[in-house]
Amino acid sequence: MKEARVIELTNEAIASYYKEEIVSSDLTKAILYSVNAGGKRLRPLLFLLLLEGFGISLTEDHYPIAASLEMIHTGSLIHDDLPAMDDDDYRRGQLTNHKQFDEATAILAGDALFLDAFGLLATSSLPADKIVQLVKLLSDAAGSRGMVGGQMLDIKGEHQALEEADLVAIHSNKTGKLLKYPFLAAGIVSDLPKQDIERLGKAGQLIGLAFQVRDDILDVTADFSELGKTPKKDIVAEKTTYPSLFGLEQSISILNQSLDDALRIFEEFENSHQFDAQRIRTVIERLRLDA
C-alpha cells in the first residue's frame, strides 16, 4: 500500500474515535487541533511498513494499533510545550495547544490522548493475547518506565553538566522507547520468535538514538521554518545534548552510525526471513541530515 494511503488510514482511525460519544466538544476541538497539525506520522508508519515487510496485508485491525501510538506521541507534544515543561509557543509551525486555547484545556487534551489511546487500541479484533501484550508494551513505553520517566530525568538534568550515561538514560526513555515500540509491536503481530523480536527492538533502539541526536543537532543548526518550533531551546535551558557533549561533527557521526547499524539488522532479516526492506529503508534514510 502507498505510504500516503497508510498515513491517511491512520489519521482516519484517530478521527473516527472522536466522532462518537463526545462529552465536551471544546475538548475534542483541542485534541483534533493538535492531531491535525501535521507531523510525519513516523511511529505508526514504521509499525505498518514493518508488517508489510514481513508479508502481512494491512487490515482495519492494524490501524488502531498504529493510531494509538500517534495519539500518545501527540499528547506528549502538547504537554511538552506547556510553560511548566519546555514552554514553547509553536509546534509544527502553528500555535501550541495552550496558546491556541489555554493551559487547562491543553493539559486535559494531553490527558485524553494518553488514555484514549488504549481505548482505541482495544477496538482491534486481533487475538486478545496480542492486544494484551501490546497494551502492556505501550504502557511501558509511554509511562513512568519510559517516556514520562525520561521527561522527568530531562527536567532534572537542566542547568547541569551531565555525563554520557545520564544523557543516554534520558533519551533512551524520553524518546527511544516510544520509537522502539513499533518495532517490538510489529514483531508481536507478525508472530516472530522472541529472539527476532529482540533484534527488531535493537533496530528500534538505534533509530530512537539517531532520531534524538538528529533533533539535538537541528536545534542548534536549523531555523524556525525548518523546525516548526522555536530553535536553540536546549541552549537556553542549558541542557546537555549530543552536540554540547560530543561536538557537532561527532554527533553527526553518531547519527549516521546508528542508522547504518539499524539498516544492517534489516539486511539480516532480508536474508533470514525474506523481509522486504525497501520501504523501511527509505523511511530510515530520511533521518539523515542530508536527506
Side-chain angles (χ1 to χ4, degrees):
M1 189 180 299
K2 291 184 177 180
E3 186 175 312
R5 181 58 177 162
V6 169
I7 293 173
E8 181 183 355
L9 290 171
T10 300
N11 292 338
E12 286 179 5
I14 300 175
S16 66
Y17 188 87
Y18 289 107
K19 287 179 180 177
E20 300 177 4
E21 300 182 36
I22 295 176
V23 173
S24 167
S25 60
D26 290 331
L27 177 60
T28 300
K29 182 179 179 181
I31 290 168
L32 293 177
Y33 173 80
S34 291
V35 167
N36 296 331
K40 299 178 179 66
R41 302 296 194 248
L42 175 63
R43 292 154 189 81
L45 187 61
L46 286 167
F47 168 69
L48 295 166
L49 293 185
L50 283 165
L51 292 184
E52 287 198 315
F54 284 112
I56 294 178
S57 297
L58 299 181
T59 71
E60 61 182 14
D61 287 322
H62 297 124
Y63 289 99
I65 301 167
S68 68
L69 179 56
E70 186 64 24
M71 290 163 75
I72 294 283
H73 175 58
T74 301
S76 77
L77 299 182
I78 294 173
H79 281 186
D80 202 42
D81 291 331
L82 288 167
M85 300 283 280
D86 276 356
D87 191 15
D88 211 327
D89 293 346
Y90 292 92
R91 171 72 67 172
R92 293 171 173 168
Q94 67 178 34
L95 287 173
T96 48
N97 201 288
H98 70 277
K99 285 293 182 180
Q100 179 70 18
F101 302 98
D102 54 66
E103 287 185 41
T105 300
I107 291 169
L108 292 173
D111 289 345
L113 282 162
F114 291 146
L115 297 168
D116 292 344
F118 293 97
L120 178 57
L121 177 55
T123 65
S124 172
S125 297
L126 291 181
D129 62 324
K130 287 186 180 180
I131 297 300
V132 169
Q133 289 182 71
L134 293 173
V135 166
K136 173 66 164 58
L137 190 65
L138 187 56
S139 175
D140 286 347
S144 62
R145 299 177 181 182
M147 179 187 69
V148 176
Q151 287 176 322
M152 190 70 195
L153 293 177
D154 190 34
I155 290 171
K156 293 297 183 180
E158 292 181 0
H159 311 293
Q160 295 187 40
L162 303 180
E163 302 291 336
E164 180 180 359
D166 301 317
L167 192 60
V168 169
I170 290 171
H171 294 318
S172 63
N173 286 287
K174 181 183 177 182
T175 306
K177 288 191 176 176
L178 211 60
L179 269 163
K180 186 177 178 180
Y181 175 88
F183 294 84
L184 297 174
I188 290 170
V189 175
S190 301
D191 290 316
L192 296 185
K194 182 179 178 180
Q195 62 269 25
D196 288 335
I197 294 176
E198 290 174 352
R199 287 167 65 204
L200 281 177
K202 177 61 177 175
Q205 187 175 340
L206 289 162
I207 297 300
L209 171 61
F211 187 89
Q212 184 59 55
V213 176
R214 183 179 187 273
D215 194 61
D216 284 357
I217 292 170
L218 291 176
D219 184 72
V220 297
T221 62
D223 58 24
F224 177 84
S225 63
E226 295 173 281
L227 294 176
K229 60 181 180 179
T230 307
K232 296 179 174 58
K233 294 282 294 198
D234 293 339
I235 296 173
V236 174
E238 297 182 359
K239 287 186 179 183
T240 300
T241 64
Y242 281 90
S244 71
L245 196 60
F246 299 108
L248 198 56
E249 186 176 341
Q250 189 174 347
S251 295
I252 294 171
S253 179
I254 292 170
L255 164 61
N256 287 325
Q257 187 61 57
S258 298
L259 295 175
D260 290 342
D261 290 344
L263 288 169
R264 267 191 290 275
I265 291 174
F266 289 109
E267 288 174 6
E268 294 169 2
F269 274 110
E270 281 183 306
N271 296 326
S272 62
H273 290 70
Q274 295 183 317
F275 178 78
D276 184 356
Q278 181 178 352
R279 299 177 73 191
I280 203 72
R281 187 181 291 114
T282 299
V283 173
I284 292 173
E285 288 290 354
R286 287 183 204 149
L287 296 176
R288 298 197 193 272
L289 291 174
D290 56 357

